[in-house]
Amino acid sequence: KWLEPIGLYACRMAGVFIAFQVQRIISTVHTAVKGARVFTEGLTELSQRNGYGYLTEGYLDEALSVILAIVGIYLQLFAWSTLPFPVKLAFFPAFLVEKILGLFVSVALTASG
């Protein structure tokens, strides 16, 4: 009698969890690429202002953007567990709020149907 509703609810929660993880990865890639591009554009502008225009010649600025984006993606996805304790402690309230909001949204999505 209870097996079907429990299975349906569990499948919905699993689907919402997977959707959240995919969205997290998409957001990570987007912010890393955008941040790398903004940094490279700023560095290019600074180098041109100081007379070092070689950064804009060829593909050096694009290569720097790709390298920075890869480092950004790695750090956002895999380096959280290696952060020093004071940094983790400083960001713990934001991390906790993110998890609680994610829980509320997943429960609301699974309950609505």
Side-chain angles (χ1 to χ4, degrees), residues 27 40 52 74 109:
S27 296
T40 306
Y52 303 109
Y74 173 78
L109 287 176

Side-chain angles (χ1 to χ4, degrees), residues 37-100:
R37 193 69 202 151
V38 167
F39 178 81
T40 306
E41 287 174 1
L43 187 63
T44 301
E45 184 180 321
L46 182 66
S47 69
Q48 285 177 342
R49 193 179 315 147
N50 291 330
Y52 303 109
Y54 62 87
L55 188 60
T56 58
E57 297 173 3
Y59 295 106
L60 187 58
D61 54 343
E62 283 85 6
L64 181 62
S65 288
V66 169
I67 291 169
L68 288 174
I70 290 170
V71 169
I73 291 168
Y74 173 78
L75 289 175
Q76 289 184 49
L77 288 179
F78 304 112
W80 171 255
S81 60
T82 60
L83 288 176
F85 177 73
V87 175
K88 281 186 182 179
L89 189 62
F91 286 111
F92 179 74
F95 179 72
L96 187 64
V97 167
E98 178 190 11
K99 290 298 180 185
I100 290 171

Side-chain angles (χ1 to χ4, degrees), residues 8-43:
L8 184 64
Y9 189 76
C11 287
R12 286 182 183 172
M13 287 202 50
V16 169
F17 175 77
I18 291 169
F20 274 134
Q21 295 306 316
V22 168
Q23 180 60 43
R24 178 177 169 249
I25 292 170
I26 291 170
S27 296
T28 296
V29 170
H30 179 265
T31 56
V33 169
K34 179 76 172 176
R37 193 69 202 151
V38 167
F39 178 81
T40 306
E41 287 174 1
L43 187 63

